[in-house]
């Protein structure tokens, strides 16, 4: 059960990283197409913060998975 929970979290954090990365790419490629965001730099910065946060969480999950598989 422990490994299944960690695998699920790994997929979740990976998907969030992809989501926020795509948001950054959209803003960089076509900032005028996202009219509701008047401060594009702030918006991109918030997306980058989310990417960094989720990468940290993913790294921790990976460390926990390594320790789980080493103890098997």
């Amino acid at each position: 059960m422990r490994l299944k929970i960690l695998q699920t979290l790994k997929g979740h954090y990976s998907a969030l990283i992809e989501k926020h990365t795509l948001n950054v790419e959209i803003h960089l490629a076509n900032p005028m197409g996202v009219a509701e965001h008047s401060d594009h730099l702030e918006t991109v910065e918030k997306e980058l913060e989310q990417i960094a946060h989720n990468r940290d969480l993913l790294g921790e999950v990976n460390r926990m998975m390594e320790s789980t598989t080493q103890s098997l």
Side-chain angles (χ1 to χ4, degrees):
M1 179 61 87
R2 174 185 171 97
L3 190 56
K4 182 64 176 168
I5 292 170
L6 292 172
Q7 289 170 335
T8 301
L9 287 171
K10 182 176 181 174
H12 176 71
Y13 296 134
S14 295
L16 287 173
I17 291 166
E18 288 181 39
K19 171 190 169 184
H20 293 291
T21 300
L22 182 57
N23 284 340
V24 169
E25 291 298 327
I26 290 169
H27 278 278
L28 294 176
N30 190 11
M32 296 304 170
V34 191
E36 70 270 7
H37 296 285
S38 60
D39 188 344
H40 294 286
L41 291 176
E42 182 180 337
T43 301
V44 170
E45 183 177 26
K46 287 179 181 177
E47 294 294 333
L48 292 173
E49 287 171 356
Q50 287 298 311
I51 292 168
H53 174 71
N54 286 295
R55 280 187 178 158
D56 287 345
L57 292 170
L58 181 59
E60 189 58 38
V61 168
N62 285 332
R63 284 186 285 281
M64 293 181 82
M65 288 179 76
E66 285 176 17
S67 68
T68 297
T69 55
Q70 289 174 357
S71 64
L72 294 179

